């Protein structure tokens, strides 16, 4: 069984059959997939990551409107390039969803506004997309990973 198949099994067992959209036969993988598929190492990470996915599934069960962006990020974690951003989104969402004020019923995900509502219009943009919106607080956010991409 490939490491991607192991990751797919975890995702499909939590979110339901057919959730995964990536090729499970590929023989290359990223650090997250490798850790999840490990049978000897990374036990704490595997347990915590699975618990995070279960919490995110619970949030989806409460608010179906947040399903598509979460499932997209869960699938994005399996990518060879760019998985770090998807992982960061899942971690940030898990954090926000853990509080009643920013829980599943209080947020919107992948929200697009007219750029005229933000400084983005000064840069010639017509629309701006945010990862998270908390309307009751007037908060919007876009999650980013902080890393050094200049080295090898």
């Amino acid at each position: 069984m490939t490491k991607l198949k192991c990751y797919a099994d975890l995702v499909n067992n939590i979110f339901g059959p057919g959730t995964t959209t990536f090729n499970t036969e590929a023989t290359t993988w990223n650090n997250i997939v490798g850790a999840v598929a490990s049978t000897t190492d990374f036990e704490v990470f595997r347990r915590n990551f699975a618990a995070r996915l279960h919490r995110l599934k619970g949030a989806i069960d409460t608010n179906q409107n947040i399903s598509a962006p979460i499932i997209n990020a869960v699938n994005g974690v399996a990518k060879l390039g760019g998985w770090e951003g998807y992982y960061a989104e899942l971690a940030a969402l898990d954090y926000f969803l853990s509080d009643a004020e920013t829980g599943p019923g209080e947020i919107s995900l992948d929200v697009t506004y007219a750029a005229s509502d933000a400084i983005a219009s000064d840069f010639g943009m017509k629309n701006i997309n945010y990862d998270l919106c908390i309307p009751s607080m007037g908060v919007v956010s876009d999650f980013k990973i902080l890393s050094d991409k200049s080295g090898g």
Side-chain angles (χ1 to χ4, degrees):
M1 178 182 298
T2 68
K3 293 189 185 301
L4 282 162
K5 177 73 170 114
C6 290
Y7 178 71
D9 286 349
L10 172 68
V11 169
N12 289 326
N13 285 335
I14 294 171
F15 293 96
T19 298
T20 56
T21 58
F22 51 86
N23 175 10
T24 60
E25 299 305 316
T27 56
T28 55
W29 57 87
N30 64 43
N31 294 345
I32 300 294
V33 170
V36 167
S38 175
T39 57
T40 58
D41 296 313
F42 313 109
E43 180 181 340
V44 172
F45 174 82
R46 287 192 321 254
R47 186 174 55 246
N48 289 338
F49 185 71
R52 169 170 289 147
L53 294 183
H54 279 286
R55 288 189 299 270
L56 292 170
K57 171 63 166 106
I60 288 171
D61 291 344
T62 300
N63 179 359
Q64 283 294 311
N65 293 326
I66 63 174
S67 179
I70 291 174
I71 297 303
N72 181 60
V74 167
N75 278 291
V77 166
K79 292 183 175 189
L80 273 178
W83 62 267
E84 300 95 334
Y86 292 106
Y87 181 79
E89 281 186 28
L90 294 177
L93 286 174
D94 188 33
Y95 172 79
F96 278 105
L97 291 169
S98 69
D99 188 275
E101 283 189 286
T102 57
E106 303 301 320
I107 67 167
S108 300
L109 301 179
D110 193 25
V111 178
T112 301
Y113 289 101
S116 59
D117 294 339
I119 194 169
S121 62
D122 294 346
F123 299 103
M125 297 175 67
K126 294 186 191 295
N127 294 306
I128 188 164
N129 180 269
Y130 295 106
D131 292 330
L132 171 78
C133 176
I134 309 169
S136 65
M137 296 179 165
V139 172
V140 293
S141 180
D142 205 44
F143 306 125
K144 298 296 176 204
I145 181 167
L146 302 176
S147 64
D148 179 2
K149 297 290 183 181
S150 63

